[in-house]
Amino acid sequence: MAPEYVIHGQFSVKSDVFSYGVVVLEIVSGQKNNCFRNGEYAKDLLNFAWRSWKQGTCSNFIDPTLRAAASGFMQEMMRCIHIGLLCVQENVAERPTMASVVLMLNSVSLTLSLPSQPAFFLHSTVTVHPEVPLVDDNKPAVDSSGQSINEASITELNPR
């Protein structure tokens, strides 16, 4: 969610651009923004994308499966990260419009501007204890009847 909406309740077309940028970064990294994990550290996705960009280690940000399967398309994936970071810039005025994003995606000859710091940039990390997993992969998401057991939603198999 765009920071200007979260903090001030202001919504604009640039709010959609911010959300699009988050989705692009989620796709390239293969992880969700709200439960991003890099090794033993829990970080937010934008923080890790920005640090990877600044340190020149964006290849570490790319999902390993995607990196292995599309090794010939590394430049395109780096360009997607670049565009994603342009979309999530803290300053609303610096974010591109969606028309500009479409143009950036369709034209490899178009030179992209350098992104500035993303919104909600965190300067520290939180250590995650290995004995407390972020997600329990061993626990089934549905019970034997096919209904959700996460206790957060009710799944009805028959429509109204």
Side-chain angles (χ1 to χ4, degrees):
M1 195 174 299
E4 64 273 10
Y5 181 74
V6 171
I7 296 169
H8 304 289
Q10 297 173 340
F11 187 79
S12 70
V13 292
K14 298 288 183 100
S15 302
D16 288 340
V17 172
F18 181 90
S19 298
Y20 179 78
V22 171
V23 169
V24 167
L25 294 173
E26 286 180 335
I27 291 169
V28 172
S29 69
Q31 298 198 40
K32 294 180 183 178
N33 186 34
N34 61 350
C35 61
F36 180 77
R37 185 174 184 167
N38 178 36
E40 64 183 54
Y41 295 104
K43 300 179 180 182
D44 69 285
L45 184 72
L46 303 184
N47 180 0
F48 186 62
W50 176 249
R51 287 195 180 178
S52 296
W53 176 264
K54 292 297 281 183
Q55 295 169 355
T57 58
C58 281
S59 60
N60 295 337
F61 179 75
I62 299 170
D63 178 30
T65 305
L66 184 60
R67 191 176 18 195
S71 60
F73 297 100
M74 192 60 75
Q75 286 298 103
E76 287 84 351
M77 288 185 276
M78 298 297 231
R79 188 169 178 89
C80 287
I81 294 170
H82 192 158
I83 293 169
L85 286 170
L86 287 171
C87 292
V88 298
Q89 294 178 101
E90 188 168 21
N91 185 346
V92 178
E94 292 179 0
R95 291 181 206 152
T97 61
M98 281 309 296
S100 297
V101 170
V102 170
L103 184 61
M104 289 179 218
L105 290 168
N106 286 324
S107 176
V108 293
S109 62
L110 183 67
T111 303
L112 304 178
S113 61
L114 291 176
S116 62
Q117 179 174 303
F120 299 128
F121 180 72
L122 300 177
H123 298 281
S124 63
T125 60
V126 177
T127 303
V128 175
H129 299 287
E131 64 273 3
V132 183
L134 292 177
V135 178
D136 186 359
D137 292 332
N138 298 326
K139 188 175 179 182
V142 294
D143 65 11
S144 59
S145 68
Q147 294 185 345
S148 172
I149 57 172
N150 65 5
E151 299 176 6
S153 62
I154 299 171
T155 304
E156 292 186 30
L157 299 178
N158 299 320
R160 293 186 221 181

